Amino acid sequence: MASSAITKVAIAGPNGTLGPPIIHHLLKAACFDITLLTRDPAKAAETYPAPTKTLAADYSSVPNLTTLLRAGAFDALVILINRDQVTAQTNLLDAAAAVGGLHVIPSSFGTSYEHPKGRQLGALINKLPVEQHFLRLAEEGRITYTAINTGLFFDWALEKAGLPINLLGGPTMLFDEGKVRLSVSTLDRIGEAVAIALLRKEELGLVNRFLYVQSAVVSQAQLLAYARQLAPEREFKTVGVDTASIEGPALEKLERGETGPEVQRALMARFSFGLGLGLFERSDNEILGLKDMTEEEIKGLLGGYFGEVA
Ligand SMILES: NC(=O)c1ccc[n+]([C@@H]2O[C@H](COP(=O)([O-])OP(=O)(O)OC[C@H]3O[C@@H](n4cnc5c(N)ncnc54)[C@H](OP(=O)(O)O)[C@@H]3O)[C@@H](O)[C@H]2O)c1
C-alpha cells in the first residue's frame, strides 16, 4: 500500500501557521494535485486560488472526512491541525484508515517524542495520544506515515515575545542561564521538508519513520549576543528563570487537569532547557539534502526583524 508516487494530496488545516510554507513548497514542486480540507473554504480559496482546490470539512465527523478522502482518491494526507485539537486529528487519521492506502504526514512538527523523561513530564500531553493513534494505524497496515519533527519554529517564534529571545522590546526569559542549545526550523524549512517527504518517500526510505529536520542549533545566549551586535543601540534585557522551579507548579496544575498554554509553556521550557531535550539527538537534514544555516544566515534572519519590530 501507498508504495507508488504521490500526486493527489489532501491538506487538512490550511488556514493556520503551516499552510503557507507547505503549500508554497508543494506548488513549487509542480507535480502535486492539491486539495485543501478546511473549516473555512472561503478563506482557503481566497488565499490559495486554482489550481489548488478547496473542500469544506467537518473535523468532528469521521464519516464526513471519510467521504471527502474517498471521493478525492488521494495518495497522501498532510495534517496541519492545531496541537490542542486532538479529536480533529484522530478523526482525520481514522478517516484515512477507513479509506486505506494513504500516506499521512501527521501534525507532529515539534520536538522529539522519543525520550522517556520528556514523555513523563507531560509537556507533550496533546501530542502523545495523536502519535499513539497514527502508530497503531500504521502497525495495523491501514496507513503509512512520515512524522516530521522540526524543533521550535524559528522565525515564527522570533515574531512573538517569548522564545527563543524577545525582539519585541520586553525582557527575554533566560532559561537556565541561556546556554542550553536547541534545534530550530524556519517555516520555509518545514515546507521544504514536507515536499521532499512526499516527493521522495520511497527513494529516501521515509515510510513509517520519524524525521528530524532543523535549520540550525542555537542557544538563547548566542542569539542575544548576535542581537546585541546587530543592534548595539538597543537594550536586550533578560530575566533569569530556573526551569526546575517552574516545573513543580506546572505539574500540580496538570494533575488538576489544567492543560492550558501557561502549563504547556512551563513544561516545554523545562523539557527543552532543563532536560536539554529541545536539541535533537540526530538530524536527518543530510538524508533530505538540507543544510543548516550558517552564522551569517542566522544573523541575517535576526537583522531582518529589527526594522519591523523595534
Ligand atoms: N515547534 C513549534 O515551535 C510549533 C509552533 C507552532 C505550532 N507547532 C505545531 O504545528 C502544528 C500546527 O499548529 P499551528 O499552531 O500551526 O495550528 P494553528 O495555526 O493554530 O491551526 C492550524 C489549523 O488547525 C485547525 N484548527 C484550529 N483551531 C481549531 C479548532 N478549535 N477546531 C478545529 N480545528 C481547528 C484550523 O484548520 P482550518 O484551516 O480548517 O480552519 C487551523 O487552520 C501542530 O502540530 C503544532 O504543535 C509547532
Side-chain angles (χ1 to χ4, degrees), residues 53-101:
K53 297 179 270 293
T54 300
L55 295 173
D58 176 0
Y59 302 138
S60 68
S61 162
V62 178
N64 170 268
L65 296 170
T66 306
T67 302
L68 293 177
L69 291 179
R70 183 165 287 130
F74 298 107
D75 305 308
L77 169 66
V78 180
I79 303 178
L80 305 181
I81 301 292
N82 182 286
R83 64 183 276 160
D84 296 330
Q85 303 306 314
V86 174
T87 307
Q89 294 176 68
T90 54
N91 284 349
L92 279 155
L93 290 163
D94 285 341
V99 173

Side-chain angles (χ1 to χ4, degrees), residues 35-210:
T35 300
L36 309 177
L37 309 183
T38 175
R39 297 176 304 169
D40 189 345
K43 184 174 173 191
E46 195 187 330
T47 315
Y48 308 103
T52 302
K53 297 179 270 293
T54 300
L55 295 173
D58 176 0
Y59 302 138
S60 68
S61 162
V62 178
N64 170 268
L65 296 170
T66 306
T67 302
L68 293 177
L69 291 179
R70 183 165 287 130
F74 298 107
D75 305 308
L77 169 66
V78 180
I79 303 178
L80 305 181
I81 301 292
N82 182 286
R83 64 183 276 160
D84 296 330
Q85 303 306 314
V86 174
T87 307
Q89 294 176 68
T90 54
N91 284 349
L92 279 155
L93 290 163
D94 285 341
V99 173
L102 276 106
H103 188 66
V104 179
I105 309 265
S107 192
S108 307
F109 308 114
T111 188
S112 169
Y113 305 101
E114 284 173 343
H115 201 290
K117 273 198 214 159
R119 287 172 177 258
Q120 280 158 14
L121 189 60
L124 303 170
I125 191 125
N126 289 332
K127 288 284 194 174
L128 287 177
V130 178
E131 179 201 294
Q132 282 156 2
H133 208 81
F134 72 71
L135 288 179
R136 185 172 55 73
L137 294 175
E139 260 171 45
E140 292 167 3
R142 302 175 69 200
I143 62 164
T144 57
Y145 73 90
T146 305
I148 304 178
N149 281 323
T150 60
L152 180 69
F153 293 181
F154 195 17
D155 44 354
W156 171 89
L158 286 170
E159 288 165 23
K160 306 189 170 4
L163 288 170
I165 61 171
N166 188 348
L167 297 178
L168 300 185
T172 290
M173 288 214 268
L174 203 60
F175 292 105
D176 297 333
E177 300 179 5
K179 298 217 173 82
V180 182
R181 292 167 4 117
L182 69 162
S183 302
V184 294
S185 288
T186 61
L187 295 180
D188 191 66
R189 169 55 42 94
I190 299 165
E192 272 180 301
V194 171
I196 296 169
L198 293 177
L199 277 170
R200 303 177 64 193
K201 71 177 168 63
E202 304 290 343
E203 175 198 348
L204 301 180
L206 309 181
V207 176
N208 291 347
R209 66 175 280 187
F210 284 83

